[in-house]
């Protein structure tokens, strides 16, 4: 098996540009149909204060007053009764509903501590696109026509000049929010916490398409859960929704639909969902997806302060956006399990029905007062390996006694590519009888450096604890011995070359195969005290040289590397007109040395 051979040469600007174009093409190729200029460009991430949908306009319709009871014979998917007739707004298109549930289930496995309910995705999908225009999608979940927001030209919205060469939104001057969940192209492709974008492949087809409801729903769910959010906490829930569109009216509207859907929904055929009509006036722009019909309200651009007025679920008068009719109240409660089951207090109830909360059974003492890290040493490992010691904290009460059954959430920062099982960046575990919460095995990625793991209680107010961790670079492969794989004499005639791959060596370290070891090969003089590079005799050629440089003798090669079996075949060795016995010296950084004799016979007739 031949090892990799490369010459260490300084690259110019031209090769750097080529590499950048290749990288951009690979990035763009993740989306379907990436062709032309769009496939050669990697969009820049949006500014940090730009919301997910770019501050685009949204539907402001509120849920109906009466309880969402499905029509007879329909497939019931919520918590309400399964008989009688109710508002058509409770019907969710089959494929869109499946996408929301699949996204919540996926995130429920990878990030259970987030507690993302699919009804929250439905609330955002209703406000952003009317559930993909009433479910106008094909069997794979891709919209039949693009759903595009207004041009983000800074007039009433964020100002984002084109970042995708019009690939996603068809606009070559400015970005537009795209798809059922209305992501701006720069955020979808390159605006995530680690610089790779929020785009996701929700239907497993190998593509990340914002126009596909499965992909868009999973991406939206991951955004809502980012930063270690627990969506049962009202502050985390509010921040997640406001990050989508920084408007208090938007927050109130999404939470109202979220509470409505939690009280019961039913499935309807694709294309049969109810289309909302009311939008904020004063917003102009072609949306190509039906988002322009109906009246509009003035909305908020990025960075605008949320409007005044109490949030849903609070006390006092509702904000100016909408006034509920008699008997109408909006009290969004805490999300439930990702599968949408289990009653939750605080949701929208029928006017004649009182809420009947079902408290969760206690999981242990209610009030741990502190989390304490276990061990005083920071965690450490090398790139690509598991941390030998898992992150661990102890929950205790005011008396210093252990508290069992406390859910504790361990969250990794964006600065690291270390991951918990399932590629998770956050996990939630409960303390054992000794009050210990032990995170699952943590594996380092390729990124080196220090970071801090944050441990917080999920249901209580104990102060967070941080655990330091460091990922060190992998040590360079070592070799303490080099040897030829053949004892055959190496001979050639002056002016000709040695046989192809004449010199093969094997590297070992402590008698074991040494793979990936860097080797330097030098043609040296026979001075036993101070061998130096020879200026005559056998030589190599630079395989990357062009023109006259192709034939210039090279007598020192660096960057030679042994393969997975510890083997290295040297490139072809040439000779000049000088006969005699010459020396080839092979060395490693660890001091392993091998000297090979090369015999060159005089040319015939010389």
């Amino acid at each position: 098996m031949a090892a990799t051979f490369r010459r260490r040469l300084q690259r110019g600007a031209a090769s750097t540009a080529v590499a950048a174009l290749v990288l951009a093409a690979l990035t763009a190729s993740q989306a379907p149909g990436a062709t032309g200029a769009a496939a050669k460009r990697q969009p820049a991430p949006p500014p940090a204060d730009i919301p997910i949908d770019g501050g685009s306009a949204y539907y402001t319709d509120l849920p109906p007053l009466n309880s969402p009871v499905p029509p007879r014979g329909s497939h019931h998917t919520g918590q309400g009764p399964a008989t009688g007739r109710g508002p058509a707004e409770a019907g969710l298109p089959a494929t869109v509903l499946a996408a929301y549930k699949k996204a919540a289930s996926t995130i429920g496995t990878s990030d259970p501590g987030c507690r993302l309910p699919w009804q929250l995705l439905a609330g955002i999908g209703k406000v952003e696109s009317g559930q993909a225009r009433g479910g106008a999608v094909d069997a794979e979940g891709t919209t039949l026509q693009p759903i595009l927001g207004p041009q983000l030209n800074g007039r009433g919205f964020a100002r984002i000049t084109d970042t995708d060469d019009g690939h996603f939104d068809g606009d070559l001057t400015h970005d537009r929010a795209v798809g059922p969940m209305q992501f701006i192209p720069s955020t979808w492709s390159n605006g995530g916490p680690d610089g790779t974008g929020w785009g996701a492949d929700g239907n497993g087809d190998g593509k990340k398409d914002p126009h596909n409801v499965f992909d868009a729903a999973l991406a939206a769910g991951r955004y809502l859960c980012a930063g270690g959010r627990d969506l049962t906490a009202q502050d985390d829930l509010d921040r997640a929704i406001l990050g989508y569109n920084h408007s208090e009216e938007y927050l109130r509207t999404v939470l109202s639909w979220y509470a409505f859907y939690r009280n019961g929904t039913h499935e309807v055929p694709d294309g049969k969902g109810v289309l909302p009509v009311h939008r904020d006036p004063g917003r102009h722009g072609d949306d190509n997806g039906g988002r322009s019909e109906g009246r509009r309200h003035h909305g908020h651009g990025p960075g605008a302060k949320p409007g005044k007025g109490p949030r849903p679920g609070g006390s006092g008068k509702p904000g100016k956006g909408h006034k509920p009719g008699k008997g109408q109240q909006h009290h969004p409660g805490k999300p439930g399990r990702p599968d949408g089951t289990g009653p939750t207090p605080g949701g929208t109830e029928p006017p004649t029905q009182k809420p009947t909360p079902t408290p969760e059974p206690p999981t242990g003492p209610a009030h741990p007062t502190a989390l304490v890290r276990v061990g005083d040493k920071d965690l450490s490992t090398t790139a690509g390996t598991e941390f030998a010691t898992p992150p661990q904290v102890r929950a205790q009460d005011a008396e210093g006694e252990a508290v069992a059954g406390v859910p504790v959430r361990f969250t990794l920062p964006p600065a690291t590519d270390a991951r918990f099982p399932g590629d998770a960046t956050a996990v939630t575990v409960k303390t054992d009888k000794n009050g210990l919460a032990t995170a699952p095995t943590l594996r380092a990625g390729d990124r080196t450096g220090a970071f801090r793991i944050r441990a917080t209680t999920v249901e209580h107010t104990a102060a967070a604890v941080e655990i330091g961790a460091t990922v060190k670079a992998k040590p360079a492969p070592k070799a303490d011995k080099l040897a030829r794989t053949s004892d055959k004499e190496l001979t050639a005639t002056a002016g000709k070359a040695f046989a192809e791959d004449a010199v093969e060596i094997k590297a070992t370290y402590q008698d074991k195969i040494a793979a990936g070891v860097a080797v330097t090969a030098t043609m040296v003089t026979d001075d036993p005290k101070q061998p130096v590079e020879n200026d005559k005799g056998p030589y190599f050629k630079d395989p990357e040289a062009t023109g006259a440089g192709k034939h210039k003798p090279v007598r020192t090669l660096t960057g030679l590397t042994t393969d997975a079996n510890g083997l290295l075949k040297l490139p072809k060795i040439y000779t000049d007109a000088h006969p005699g016995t010459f020396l080839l010296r092979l060395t490693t950084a660890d001091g392993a040395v091998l000297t090979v004799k090369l015999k060159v016979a005089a040319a015939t007739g010389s």
Side-chain angles (χ1 to χ4, degrees):
M1 298 183 182
T4 302
F5 162 62
R6 57 182 177 85
R7 280 279 290 141
R8 290 179 179 167
L9 300 174
Q10 294 294 325
R11 302 290 183 182
S15 61
T16 302
V18 170
L21 288 174
V22 170
L23 176 61
L26 289 173
T27 302
S29 67
Q30 293 178 347
T35 58
K40 298 179 181 179
R41 180 175 179 181
Q42 185 178 18
D49 61 346
I50 297 298
I52 288 293
D53 69 0
S56 292
Y58 52 86
Y59 290 111
T60 61
D61 300 48
L62 282 177
L65 297 177
N66 49 330
S67 178
V69 179
R72 288 175 181 167
S74 66
H75 179 63
H76 182 62
T77 64
Q79 299 166 198
T83 59
R85 298 191 64 82
E89 287 86 348
L92 293 173
T95 300
V96 177
L97 175 61
Y100 296 152
K101 289 189 173 183
K102 180 176 174 59
S105 176
T106 299
I107 294 173
T109 300
S110 63
D111 188 5
C114 175
R115 304 184 184 188
L116 170 70
W118 64 261
Q119 292 94 335
L120 178 58
L121 295 174
I124 291 175
K126 177 71 171 182
V127 173
E128 291 289 348
S129 69
Q131 310 299 13
R133 300 276 296 133
V137 297
D138 61 20
E140 284 71 42
T142 302
T143 58
L144 301 180
Q145 293 182 345
I147 300 176
L148 305 178
Q151 190 180 68
L152 299 176
N153 53 19
R155 295 192 289 272
F157 312 107
R159 184 179 188 277
I160 306 176
T161 56
D162 176 53
T163 64
D164 66 333
D165 288 327
H167 174 62
F168 289 125
D169 57 13
D171 194 321
L172 295 175
T173 61
H174 293 82
D175 272 353
R176 296 169 180 252
V178 297
M181 303 303 277
Q182 290 289 280
F183 277 81
I184 51 177
S186 52
T187 297
W188 180 267
S189 299
N190 203 36
D194 57 359
T196 59
W198 290 109
D201 177 13
N203 60 356
D205 63 357
K207 301 174 183 178
K208 298 178 181 180
D209 182 5
H211 298 286
N212 181 279
V213 69
F214 287 94
D215 294 357
L218 180 57
R222 287 179 174 171
Y223 165 75
L224 293 169
C225 289
R229 292 188 183 113
D230 174 7
L231 297 181
T232 62
Q234 191 66 44
D235 285 347
D236 279 2
L237 178 63
D238 289 355
R239 279 193 294 267
I241 297 172
L242 286 171
Y244 221 103
N245 189 308
H246 195 73
S247 160
E248 188 78 8
E249 182 186 6
Y250 180 88
L251 173 65
R252 289 194 298 269
T253 307
V254 169
L255 287 176
S256 295
W257 280 106
Y258 165 50
F260 177 78
Y261 289 138
R262 281 199 54 75
N263 205 45
T265 61
H266 58 274
E267 182 182 296
V268 299
D270 288 344
K272 299 298 183 180
V274 175
L275 292 175
V277 295
H278 296 135
R279 305 282 307 278
D280 283 343
R283 301 236 178 166
H284 303 288
D286 173 26
D287 66 6
N288 256 357
R291 296 186 65 185
S292 60
E293 71 270 25
R295 63 180 178 84
R296 298 170 181 255
H297 276 296
H298 178 66
H300 300 265
K305 295 182 179 179
K308 296 181 179 179
R311 288 195 290 259
S315 60
K317 297 179 180 180
K320 295 180 180 180
H322 299 276
K323 294 183 179 180
K326 183 178 180 181
Q328 182 180 13
Q329 295 181 347
H330 297 287
H331 299 291
K334 293 183 178 179
R337 294 185 288 273
D339 63 0
T341 62
T344 301
T348 302
E349 300 289 345
T352 58
Q353 180 180 350
K354 294 182 179 180
T356 55
T358 303
E360 295 183 2
T363 57
H367 298 291
T369 59
L371 287 181
V372 180
R373 60 174 292 179
V374 177
D376 56 359
K377 292 184 178 180
D378 287 351
L379 310 181
S380 179
T381 193
T382 56
T385 63
E386 294 178 351
F387 286 85
T389 304
Q392 189 179 58
V393 296
R394 181 176 186 268
Q396 62 187 41
D397 60 19
E399 303 299 324
E401 297 295 326
V403 182
V406 177
V408 175
R409 185 175 176 84
F410 294 90
T411 304
L412 302 173
T416 181
D417 59 355
R419 293 293 183 267
F420 293 114
D423 202 34
T425 58
V427 293
T428 300
V429 297
K430 287 186 177 181
T431 57
D432 61 18
K433 63 180 181 180
N434 298 314
L436 297 177
T438 305
T441 302
L442 178 62
R443 185 177 185 84
D446 295 328
R447 195 178 304 173
T448 59
F451 61 94
R452 303 193 72 79
I453 304 162
R454 184 177 175 84
T456 56
T457 53
V458 174
E459 300 173 352
H460 309 286
T461 57
V465 170
E466 291 191 342
I467 303 169
T470 301
V471 178
K472 301 176 182 178
K474 290 181 180 179
K478 295 181 178 181
D480 56 13
K481 184 179 179 181
L482 297 175
R484 284 188 62 197
T485 59
S486 171
D487 57 1
K488 184 178 180 180
E489 188 178 61
L490 300 171
T491 61
T493 302
K496 299 187 180 295
F498 286 83
E500 195 83 27
D501 298 331
V503 181
E504 182 183 59
I505 63 170
K506 183 176 182 178
T508 56
Y509 181 71
Q510 298 180 350
D511 296 326
K512 294 182 179 179
I513 290 173
V517 175
V519 177
T520 298
T522 306
M523 301 294 179
V524 298
T525 62
D526 58 0
D527 185 342
K529 294 182 179 180
Q530 189 68 34
V532 296
E533 183 179 278
N534 211 334
D535 60 356
K536 61 183 178 180
Y539 62 91
F540 302 103
K541 289 182 180 180
D542 185 347
E544 299 182 5
T546 59
K550 290 179 62 176
H551 305 290
K552 184 178 179 180
V554 175
R555 290 189 167 89
T556 297
L557 288 181
T558 59
L560 301 168
T561 307
T562 59
D563 65 13
N565 297 309
L567 300 176
L568 169 63
K569 287 185 178 180
L570 268 64
K572 193 171 184 179
I573 300 174
Y574 301 85
T575 68
D576 58 14
H578 297 86
T581 298
F582 299 88
L583 302 179
L584 168 61
R585 193 169 188 252
L586 301 155
T587 60
T588 69
D590 302 297
V593 179
L594 173 65
T595 301
V596 179
K597 289 184 178 181
L598 303 173
K599 293 184 177 181
V600 180
T604 304
S606 60

